[in-house]
Amino acid sequence: MITGGARGLGNEFCRAFVRSGCTQLAILDLKEEEAKDAADELVATACLNSDLAPTDFNIIGLGCDVSSERSVQKAFAETMDAFGRVDSVVASAGIVENYSAFDYPFDRIKRLYDINVHGAFFTAREAARNMIPQGGGSIVLVSSMSANIINIPQPQTPYNASKAAVKHMAASLAVEWAKKGVRVNTLCPGYMLTKLTKTILSHDQELKKTWESLTPMGRMGEPEDLAGAIVFLSSDASRFMTGSEIRVDGGYCII
């Protein structure tokens, strides 16, 4: 299961799973129609230039507002009805906004925390509730390099704090559930060239140059650069890892 899977990094995670052999997947996003469209497109892409047929896949799209505990519970119930179990969950749904601290409207701050922090917690908790009876599973909370550093030049204090909360949440839950067979790890991306980021930077090339100059590798990441890390953390390849963080940031956090 992947939340926020209809677009952006969440959708790239879906593609990474399918490319690695996953044939059963639940894609969650705020708008059910977009989640279902993403599921259909993923199956069609997987069948191109291959011997696979659409009937080889069971990929579903579900509407889910991660800021609502009831919505998350409903999505998990539908997933369990469809598959009977859930082995790996990626909490990828999140938002970012840039306001100075003095100008940040409270309703926007609340919305950001409801999605980024509460949404990650609701997702992880429901995942564990379903994983523990089956013997365990893997949960990956998508944080950010912003959990470790302060981004410049854009002001985004609530976002940075929300991602730091997600990182520490994962570590805390990892300890709480370690002996129950549920692993909880964190993936922390750096600056990634998603479609949304490309659109924003097309109007601000100087910001793009600044971000690249601050990254030791001298470039922003491609969404595909996260594929190996997300599959590793979600699979048994990382079976002795819990409470860990993988940063994929081109070296941004080391200077």
Side-chain angles (χ1 to χ4, degrees):
M1 174 192 283
I2 298 179
T3 70
R7 62 173 66 83
L9 295 183
N11 190 254
E12 181 57 37
F13 298 151
C14 294
R15 295 175 185 278
F17 278 11
V18 171
R19 286 195 297 265
S20 297
C22 175
T23 58
Q24 298 185 84
L25 180 67
I27 300 175
L28 276 56
D29 217 292
L30 183 61
K31 296 181 179 179
E32 184 169 357
E33 183 178 350
E34 293 184 2
K36 288 183 175 178
D37 287 345
D40 292 341
E41 196 273 337
L42 192 61
V43 171
T45 301
C47 293
L48 285 176
N49 303 316
S50 77
D51 296 328
L52 297 171
T55 52
D56 293 321
F57 296 91
N58 186 8
I59 299 178
I60 62 174
L62 301 173
C64 180
D65 176 1
V66 296
S67 70
S68 164
E69 183 179 18
R70 286 190 177 184
S71 184
V72 173
Q73 290 171 339
K74 180 175 180 290
F76 268 89
E78 292 174 337
T79 299
M80 293 300 290
D81 286 343
F83 301 106
R85 62 184 293 126
V86 57
D87 296 293
S88 300
V89 171
V90 179
S92 180
I95 61 171
V96 59
E97 294 180 313
N98 301 128
Y99 292 94
S100 69
F102 286 136
D103 297 330
Y104 215 125
F106 172 72
D107 63 321
R108 307 299 296 183
I109 296 175
K110 185 177 184 303
R111 177 172 177 266
L112 183 142
Y113 277 98
D114 282 344
I115 295 171
N116 290 10
V117 181
H118 302 147
F121 181 74
F122 296 151
T123 301
R125 183 162 65 179
E126 291 309 308
R129 279 176 172 161
N130 286 280
M131 289 174 172
I132 289 171
Q134 71 188 26
S138 173
I139 301 170
V140 181
L141 303 187
V142 179
S143 180
S144 169
M145 68 175 183
S146 303
N148 301 291
I149 50 88
I150 308 305
N151 304 67
I152 55 172
Q154 70 276 20
Q156 53 183 50
T157 294
Y159 174 80
N160 295 349
S162 76
K163 289 304 184 179
V166 168
K167 175 185 170 183
H168 204 59
M169 180 192 302
S172 301
L173 294 176
V175 171
E176 192 166 338
W177 297 332
K179 292 184 179 179
K180 301 181 185 297
V182 175
R183 302 186 297 107
V184 189
N185 292 292
T186 307
L187 176 63
C188 292
Y191 287 123
M192 294 288 159
L193 283 169
T194 63
K195 288 183 180 178
L196 177 60
T197 306
K198 288 179 180 178
T199 300
I200 295 171
L201 294 179
S202 67
H203 304 289
D204 193 345
Q205 286 297 309
E206 287 304 313
L207 181 59
K208 183 174 185 291
K209 291 178 182 177
T210 298
W211 288 354
E212 290 174 339
S213 68
L214 292 169
T215 303
M217 291 184 72
R219 68 173 178 90
M220 294 178 62
E222 297 290 344
E224 294 85 353
D225 292 332
L226 298 169
I230 197 65
V231 171
F232 172 70
L233 289 176
S234 300
S235 71
D236 285 343
S238 58
R239 64 185 180 181
F240 197 54
M241 284 180 63
T242 196
S244 295
E245 167 198 9
I246 291 184
R247 292 198 315 268
V248 184
D249 63 357
Y252 194 104
C253 290
I254 60 177
I255 60 172

